[in-house]
Amino acid sequence: MKEKNIKEPVCAVDYAFRRIGGKYKGRILWHIYNNEVLRFGELKRRITDITTKMLTQTLRELENDNLLFRKVYPEVPPKVEYRLTDVSNSLIPFINQLREWGITQMKKENIPIREHEASKK
């Protein structure tokens, strides 16, 4: 992450959101957590509103921030798998709390919840 070399102090919340904030990072981490290992195409199918370019960029940022482990297999076509690191595994309880909050709010507002969302780990 480019902002890691900031010389002036930053708020801890700011630091955390710089690493996992945005539209896709938490979702990517959650999908990988629920599947243990995912390949690029599998992530693309699960996060339908992300472009290929944005997925590539976000995966690189997560890898640079030590939140994803990327394993490349030497074969043709290339096979690349993504796993959570110990650092990102420590974030999962917080992401799950956000998911639970979202489910509660969606129920209050009568917004339909996909079945697989309500029954996650």
Side-chain angles (χ1 to χ4, degrees):
M1 180 172 137
K2 293 175 187 169
E3 292 86 4
K4 278 186 184 174
N5 295 325
I6 296 173
K7 296 193 186 214
E8 51 186 89
V10 295
C11 161
V13 172
D14 183 45
Y15 172 81
F17 275 104
R18 287 181 190 209
R19 295 193 68 194
I20 63 159
K23 189 173 179 179
Y24 303 109
K25 288 181 179 180
R27 292 163 61 190
I28 288 170
L29 294 174
W30 185 253
H31 282 292
I32 294 172
Y33 165 72
N34 280 295
N35 295 279
E36 294 184 25
V37 175
L38 283 177
R39 294 176 62 187
F40 185 91
E42 293 170 320
L43 280 165
K44 183 81 169 87
R45 282 189 292 279
R46 284 171 170 77
I47 305 172
T48 57
D49 62 332
I50 194 169
T51 64
T52 301
K53 179 182 176 186
M54 182 56 70
L55 179 57
T56 300
Q57 177 183 326
T58 306
L59 288 169
R60 283 185 187 142
E61 289 173 6
L62 288 167
E63 185 182 8
N64 289 337
D65 284 342
N66 193 32
L67 296 173
L68 280 186
F69 175 72
R70 180 177 183 258
K71 182 172 183 178
V72 181
Y73 293 89
E75 49 186 70
V76 178
K79 178 181 173 182
V80 179
E81 292 180 341
Y82 295 93
R83 295 179 187 270
L84 298 184
T85 64
D86 290 341
V87 175
S88 57
N89 265 309
S90 69
L91 289 168
I92 294 303
F94 303 103
I95 295 172
N96 189 46
Q97 284 183 321
L98 283 170
R99 181 188 69 83
E100 289 173 1
W101 178 85
I103 289 170
T104 300
Q105 294 307 117
M106 290 172 76
K107 285 179 180 176
K108 285 180 181 177
E109 297 177 29
N110 293 317
I111 298 171
I113 302 169
R114 289 186 268 169
E115 274 186 46
H116 71 277
E117 284 299 320
S119 61
K120 294 285 183 180
K121 294 180 180 177

